[in-house]
Amino acid sequence: MIQHAQRIPMGGAITEVPGIRVGHFTERRRPTGCTVIIAEEGATAGVDVRGAAPGTRETDLLDPANLVEKVHAILLAGGSAFGLEAATGVTRWLEEHGTGYPAGPALVPIVPAAVLFDLSVGDPRIRPDAAAGYAACEAVRAEAPAEGSVGAGTGATVGKLFGMARAMKGGIGTASLKVGAITVGAIVAVNAVGDVIEPGTGRVLAGARDPEGRRPFGTTAALLRGELPPPMQAGMATTIGVVATDAALTKAQCQRLAGAAHDGFARTIDPSHTMSDGDTVFALSTGRSGLPGNMMTLAAIVPQVMAAAVLRAVMAAKAIPPSPPGMSELG
């Protein structure tokens, strides 16, 4: 077993943010699943899509120029475009629980969603559907959610530029930080083309392995040496996540906060935001602290929290056959 000397990332969870709850659905027939982040009283929201191969739902609604101010849940799912169906189950569950945007005679739940590509792990005909989204809602809790190979991170992998045979297991991670009276949290499903690296040192923690499969060898370093990867099909990856705070923010501020969270990706995923990644981050403001957010401070904190969540995702990940090994399993 390789011994890693890096510092343990910050603890906590996105559920430390008042008004935020999380539920996972983990598919047992093959490695895939979905994760729902529910805002109990609704939350102002924004989004920032940086990857070139996104799979999303209702992101246009989050434009500050558009009408609806609050969302009721965010869905993160495996299954590529097929996984967007799971948002239908989340919508149904919220409607049954009397949650939604007042629209004439109905309450319409607002559920933006993003998906990642995990169809290359196991039978691709099995993917999250409406029943999976509903089940994730049934599993929602206020306690810290499980991390690693669960929910939207079940089929996640990292380090795929040199092929799946040399990749490692990704997963889902969460972290939080309280600064003064404001809490910031993040949750992320890490399914990157690139490697997950230790900030500051650049050391590869989980990523493409050497041809013998014994250890990570550094994707970017290999490219700089002139080792060219084989052609890669577009849309084979994607890291998707949510940041949340109890500071009171506008939609425009949430959009900026989502953008700042991508700095956490850039610090821990190398390379990030590639042509085969659909990297997407949502930002939620519950406003439960009653305090306005200082955007300078929040934009400095959020990348730190997101970076910690990325690291926690791969540190907790375990292989689920036929997926590749996790960081703790590589010997």
Side-chain angles (χ1 to χ4, degrees):
M1 192 81 67
I2 292 178
Q3 298 298 317
H4 296 279
Q6 76 281 349
R7 293 177 298 170
I8 301 298
M10 71 178 69
I14 195 171
T15 49
E16 297 289 328
V17 177
I20 298 294
R21 297 184 295 159
V22 173
H24 295 307
F25 168 78
T26 301
E27 175 61 68
R28 301 300 179 187
R29 295 172 295 166
R30 87 158 179 96
T32 192
C34 60
T35 297
V36 64
I37 299 91
I38 289 183
E40 295 174 333
E41 299 174 2
T44 307
V47 68
D48 192 303
V49 181
R50 296 284 177 93
T56 58
R57 160 182 156 144
E58 295 209 279
T59 51
D60 284 352
L61 178 146
L62 302 182
D63 188 310
N66 291 337
L67 175 66
V68 175
E69 287 293 324
K70 292 184 180 292
V71 306
H72 306 101
I74 302 290
L75 176 79
L76 308 177
S80 191
F82 300 109
L84 290 171
E85 183 186 350
T88 300
V90 177
T91 301
R92 178 161 59 89
W93 188 91
L94 289 168
E95 182 187 28
E96 290 176 1
H97 287 75
T99 299
Y101 176 78
L107 288 175
V108 180
I110 307 300
V111 185
V115 292
L116 56 80
F117 186 97
D118 59 8
L119 300 179
S120 55
V121 182
D123 185 346
R125 295 170 296 180
I126 300 170
R127 53 258 183 162
D129 56 12
Y134 192 96
C137 291
E138 289 283 274
V140 160
R141 298 290 184 272
E143 295 79 24
E147 298 176 275
S149 304
V150 296
T154 306
T157 49
V158 298
K160 290 174 277 201
L161 198 62
F162 286 87
M164 279 296 295
R166 292 168 62 179
M168 288 180 66
K169 187 74 181 68
I172 196 163
T174 186
S176 67
L177 186 65
K178 187 162 186 173
V179 177
I182 299 296
T183 303
V184 174
I187 189 167
V188 60
V190 184
N191 185 60
V193 166
D195 303 331
V196 174
I197 62 172
E198 184 178 52
T201 69
R203 186 158 58 91
V204 179
L205 304 180
R209 292 171 288 158
D210 60 28
E212 291 75 33
R214 294 174 300 189
R215 59 182 178 84
F217 81 137
T219 293
T220 298
L223 294 175
L224 292 174
R225 290 193 300 268
E227 297 183 32
L228 298 180
M232 186 174 184
Q233 184 178 342
M236 292 290 285
T238 296
T239 295
I240 50 179
V242 178
V243 293
T245 180
D246 56 356
L249 303 179
T250 65
K251 285 178 73 174
Q253 288 173 322
C254 284
Q255 186 179 62
R256 296 299 300 176
L257 202 63
H262 278 281
D263 291 348
F265 288 4
R267 294 175 190 181
T268 54
I269 301 171
D270 183 29
S272 58
H273 308 129
T274 75
M275 290 299 293
S276 290
D277 288 288
D279 298 337
T280 300
V281 178
F282 298 95
L284 299 175
S285 162
T286 68
R288 292 276 287 268
S289 71
L291 299 172
N294 181 307
M295 287 301 295
M296 184 65 73
T297 301
L298 288 172
I301 294 169
V302 159
Q304 302 285 346
V305 180
M306 179 58 83
V310 170
L311 298 183
R312 292 181 67 88
V314 297
M315 291 175 73
K318 304 286 186 182
I320 302 176
S323 70
M327 171 182 158
S328 66
E329 299 164 320
L330 195 62

PDB file of all heavy atoms in Angstrom, residues 6 38 96 121 163 200 204 226 228 231 240 242 258 262 299 321 329-331:
ATOM      1  N   GLN A   6       0.260  13.564   2.582  1.00  0.00           N
ATOM      2  CA  GLN A   6      -0.401  14.852   2.469  1.00  0.00           C
ATOM      3  C   GLN A   6      -1.314  15.102   3.668  1.00  0.00           C
ATOM      4  O   GLN A   6      -1.767  14.189   4.330  1.00  0.00           O
ATOM      5  CB  GLN A   6      -1.219  14.929   1.165  1.00  0.00           C
ATOM      6  CG  GLN A   6      -2.541  14.171   1.176  1.00  0.00           C
ATOM      7  CD  GLN A   6      -2.360  12.694   0.962  1.00  0.00           C
ATOM      8  OE1 GLN A   6      -1.290  12.245   0.600  1.00  0.00           O
ATOM      9  NE2 GLN A   6      -3.410  11.937   1.178  1.00  0.00           N
ATOM     10  N   ILE A  38     -30.989  19.360  -1.434  1.00  0.00           N
ATOM     11  CA  ILE A  38     -32.286  20.024  -1.266  1.00  0.00           C
ATOM     12  C   ILE A  38     -32.131  21.269  -0.398  1.00  0.00           C
ATOM     13  O   ILE A  38     -31.496  21.234   0.665  1.00  0.00           O
ATOM     14  CB  ILE A  38     -33.316  19.061  -0.653  1.00  0.00           C
ATOM     15  CG1 ILE A  38     -33.697  17.998  -1.693  1.00  0.00           C
ATOM     16  CG2 ILE A  38     -34.557  19.802  -0.167  1.00  0.00           C
ATOM     17  CD1 ILE A  38     -34.762  17.025  -1.248  1.00  0.00           C
ATOM     18  N   GLU A  96     -44.896  16.334  -4.253  1.00  0.00           N
ATOM     19  CA  GLU A  96     -45.645  15.573  -3.258  1.00  0.00           C
ATOM     20  C   GLU A  96     -45.470  16.154  -1.853  1.00  0.00           C
ATOM     21  O   GLU A  96     -46.336  15.976  -0.991  1.00  0.00           O
ATOM     22  CB  GLU A  96     -45.207  14.111  -3.269  1.00  0.00           C
ATOM     23  CG  GLU A  96     -45.630  13.361  -4.512  1.00  0.00           C
ATOM     24  CD  GLU A  96     -45.086  11.935  -4.537  1.00  0.00           C
ATOM     25  OE1 GLU A  96     -44.397  11.536  -3.572  1.00  0.00           O
ATOM     26  OE2 GLU A  96     -45.342  11.234  -5.532  1.00  0.00           O
ATOM     27  N   VAL A 121     -18.188   2.225 -17.385  1.00  0.00           N
ATOM     28  CA  VAL A 121     -17.972   1.333 -16.247  1.00  0.00           C
ATOM     29  C   VAL A 121     -19.204   0.455 -16.079  1.00  0.00           C
ATOM     30  O   VAL A 121     -20.239   0.899 -15.592  1.00  0.00           O
ATOM     31  CB  VAL A 121     -17.705   2.141 -14.954  1.00  0.00           C
ATOM     32  CG1 VAL A 121     -17.423   1.202 -13.788  1.00  0.00           C
ATOM     33  CG2 VAL A 121     -16.543   3.098 -15.149  1.00  0.00           C
ATOM     34  N   GLY A 163      -6.392   6.395 -21.291  1.00  0.00           N
ATOM     35  CA  GLY A 163      -7.282   5.235 -21.397  1.00  0.00           C
ATOM     36  C   GLY A 163      -7.800   4.761 -20.058  1.00  0.00           C
ATOM     37  O   GLY A 163      -7.145   4.925 -19.019  1.00  0.00           O
ATOM     38  N   GLY A 200      -0.228  22.851  -3.918  1.00  0.00           N
ATOM     39  CA  GLY A 200       1.049  23.269  -3.333  1.00  0.00           C
ATOM     40  C   GLY A 200       2.217  22.443  -3.811  1.00  0.00           C
ATOM     41  O   GLY A 200       3.231  22.982  -4.244  1.00  0.00           O
ATOM     42  N   VAL A 204       0.699  13.843  -7.606  1.00  0.00           N
ATOM     43  CA  VAL A 204      -0.507  13.153  -8.063  1.00  0.00           C
ATOM     44  C   VAL A 204      -0.997  12.196  -6.971  1.00  0.00           C
ATOM     45  O   VAL A 204      -0.269  11.307  -6.536  1.00  0.00           O
ATOM     46  CB  VAL A 204      -0.245  12.384  -9.370  1.00  0.00           C
ATOM     47  CG1 VAL A 204      -1.509  11.661  -9.803  1.00  0.00           C
ATOM     48  CG2 VAL A 204       0.204  13.338 -10.470  1.00  0.00           C
ATOM     49  N   GLY A 226       6.335  14.709 -24.158  1.00  0.00           N
ATOM     50  CA  GLY A 226       6.035  14.319 -25.530  1.00  0.00           C
ATOM     51  C   GLY A 226       5.304  13.005 -25.664  1.00  0.00           C
ATOM     52  O   GLY A 226       5.174  12.476 -26.777  1.00  0.00           O
ATOM     53  N   LEU A 228       2.229  11.273 -26.191  1.00  0.00           N
ATOM     54  CA  LEU A 228       0.910  11.656 -26.677  1.00  0.00           C
ATOM     55  C   LEU A 228      -0.109  10.568 -26.365  1.00  0.00           C
ATOM     56  O   LEU A 228       0.140   9.377 -26.599  1.00  0.00           O
ATOM     57  CB  LEU A 228       0.961  11.925 -28.176  1.00  0.00           C
ATOM     58  CG  LEU A 228       1.889  13.076 -28.603  1.00  0.00           C
ATOM     59  CD1 LEU A 228       1.849  13.254 -30.107  1.00  0.00           C
ATOM     60  CD2 LEU A 228       1.514  14.367 -27.890  1.00  0.00           C
ATOM     61  N   PRO A 231      -6.389   8.899 -29.189  1.00  0.00           N
ATOM     62  CA  PRO A 231      -7.579   9.739 -29.366  1.00  0.00           C
ATOM     63  C   PRO A 231      -8.636   9.397 -28.319  1.00  0.00           C
ATOM     64  O   PRO A 231      -8.838   8.236 -27.981  1.00  0.00           O
ATOM     65  CB  PRO A 231      -8.066   9.383 -30.776  1.00  0.00           C
ATOM     66  CG  PRO A 231      -6.857   8.853 -31.465  1.00  0.00           C
ATOM     67  CD  PRO A 231      -6.060   8.150 -30.414  1.00  0.00           C
ATOM     68  N   ILE A 240     -18.702  17.639 -11.412  1.00  0.00           N
ATOM     69  CA  ILE A 240     -19.878  18.467 -11.160  1.00  0.00           C
ATOM     70  C   ILE A 240     -20.052  18.669  -9.662  1.00  0.00           C
ATOM     71  O   ILE A 240     -19.792  17.761  -8.875  1.00  0.00           O
ATOM     72  CB  ILE A 240     -21.154  17.846 -11.766  1.00  0.00           C
ATOM     73  CG1 ILE A 240     -21.317  16.375 -11.364  1.00  0.00           C
ATOM     74  CG2 ILE A 240     -21.131  17.983 -13.283  1.00  0.00           C
ATOM     75  CD1 ILE A 240     -22.568  15.699 -11.911  1.00  0.00           C
ATOM     76  N   VAL A 242     -21.602  21.480  -6.184  1.00  0.00           N
ATOM     77  CA  VAL A 242     -22.435  22.548  -5.626  1.00  0.00           C
ATOM     78  C   VAL A 242     -21.668  23.196  -4.482  1.00  0.00           C
ATOM     79  O   VAL A 242     -21.067  22.493  -3.655  1.00  0.00           O
ATOM     80  CB  VAL A 242     -23.774  21.995  -5.080  1.00  0.00           C
ATOM     81  CG1 VAL A 242     -24.603  23.117  -4.446  1.00  0.00           C
ATOM     82  CG2 VAL A 242     -24.561  21.295  -6.183  1.00  0.00           C
ATOM     83  N   ALA A 258     -20.171  30.668  -8.013  1.00  0.00           N
ATOM     84  CA  ALA A 258     -19.983  29.417  -8.753  1.00  0.00           C
ATOM     85  C   ALA A 258     -18.705  29.484  -9.587  1.00  0.00           C
ATOM     86  O   ALA A 258     -17.953  28.502  -9.690  1.00  0.00           O
ATOM     87  CB  ALA A 258     -21.198  29.139  -9.641  1.00  0.00           C
ATOM     88  N   HIS A 262     -14.729  27.156  -9.319  1.00  0.00           N
ATOM     89  CA  HIS A 262     -13.924  26.472 -10.331  1.00  0.00           C
ATOM     90  C   HIS A 262     -12.424  26.611 -10.063  1.00  0.00           C
ATOM     91  O   HIS A 262     -11.635  25.783 -10.530  1.00  0.00           O
ATOM     92  CB  HIS A 262     -14.259  27.009 -11.724  1.00  0.00           C
ATOM     93  CG  HIS A 262     -15.477  26.398 -12.336  1.00  0.00           C
ATOM     94  ND1 HIS A 262     -15.483  25.155 -12.923  1.00  0.00           N
ATOM     95  CD2 HIS A 262     -16.742  26.863 -12.443  1.00  0.00           C
ATOM     96  CE1 HIS A 262     -16.692  24.880 -13.378  1.00  0.00           C
ATOM     97  NE2 HIS A 262     -17.472  25.902 -13.091  1.00  0.00           N
ATOM     98  N   ALA A 299     -15.273  34.732  -2.190  1.00  0.00           N
ATOM     99  CA  ALA A 299     -14.535  34.275  -3.369  1.00  0.00           C
ATOM    100  C   ALA A 299     -13.159  33.740  -3.008  1.00  0.00           C
ATOM    101  O   ALA A 299     -12.561  32.967  -3.765  1.00  0.00           O
ATOM    102  CB  ALA A 299     -14.406  35.410  -4.378  1.00  0.00           C
ATOM    103  N   PRO A 321     -15.986  -3.181  -8.763  1.00  0.00           N
ATOM    104  CA  PRO A 321     -15.761  -3.853 -10.040  1.00  0.00           C
ATOM    105  C   PRO A 321     -16.928  -3.602 -10.997  1.00  0.00           C
ATOM    106  O   PRO A 321     -18.083  -3.660 -10.573  1.00  0.00           O
ATOM    107  CB  PRO A 321     -15.661  -5.322  -9.656  1.00  0.00           C
ATOM    108  CG  PRO A 321     -15.179  -5.291  -8.239  1.00  0.00           C
ATOM    109  CD  PRO A 321     -15.840  -4.082  -7.622  1.00  0.00           C
ATOM    110  N   GLU A 329      -6.174   1.955  -2.417  1.00  0.00           N
ATOM    111  CA  GLU A 329      -6.052   0.543  -2.785  1.00  0.00           C
ATOM    112  C   GLU A 329      -4.871   0.256  -3.700  1.00  0.00           C
ATOM    113  O   GLU A 329      -4.580  -0.909  -3.995  1.00  0.00           O
ATOM    114  CB  GLU A 329      -7.338   0.075  -3.485  1.00  0.00           C
ATOM    115  CG  GLU A 329      -8.565   0.201  -2.593  1.00  0.00           C
ATOM    116  CD  GLU A 329      -9.856   0.105  -3.378  1.00  0.00           C
ATOM    117  OE1 GLU A 329      -9.941   0.668  -4.482  1.00  0.00           O
ATOM    118  OE2 GLU A 329     -10.799  -0.525  -2.875  1.00  0.00           O
ATOM    119  N   LEU A 330      -4.220   1.292  -4.173  1.00  0.00           N
ATOM    120  CA  LEU A 330      -3.142   1.089  -5.143  1.00  0.00           C
ATOM    121  C   LEU A 330      -1.906   0.594  -4.403  1.00  0.00           C
ATOM    122  O   LEU A 330      -1.379   1.279  -3.529  1.00  0.00           O
ATOM    123  CB  LEU A 330      -2.867   2.402  -5.877  1.00  0.00           C
ATOM    124  CG  LEU A 330      -2.026   2.295  -7.152  1.00  0.00           C
ATOM    125  CD1 LEU A 330      -2.723   1.427  -8.192  1.00  0.00           C
ATOM    126  CD2 LEU A 330      -1.774   3.683  -7.719  1.00  0.00           C
ATOM    127  N   GLY A 331      -1.447  -0.603  -4.755  1.00  0.00           N
ATOM    128  CA  GLY A 331      -0.304  -1.158  -4.067  1.00  0.00           C
ATOM    129  C   GLY A 331       0.882  -1.357  -4.968  1.00  0.00           C
ATOM    130  O   GLY A 331       0.811  -1.109  -6.160  1.00  0.00           O
TER     131      GLY A 331
END
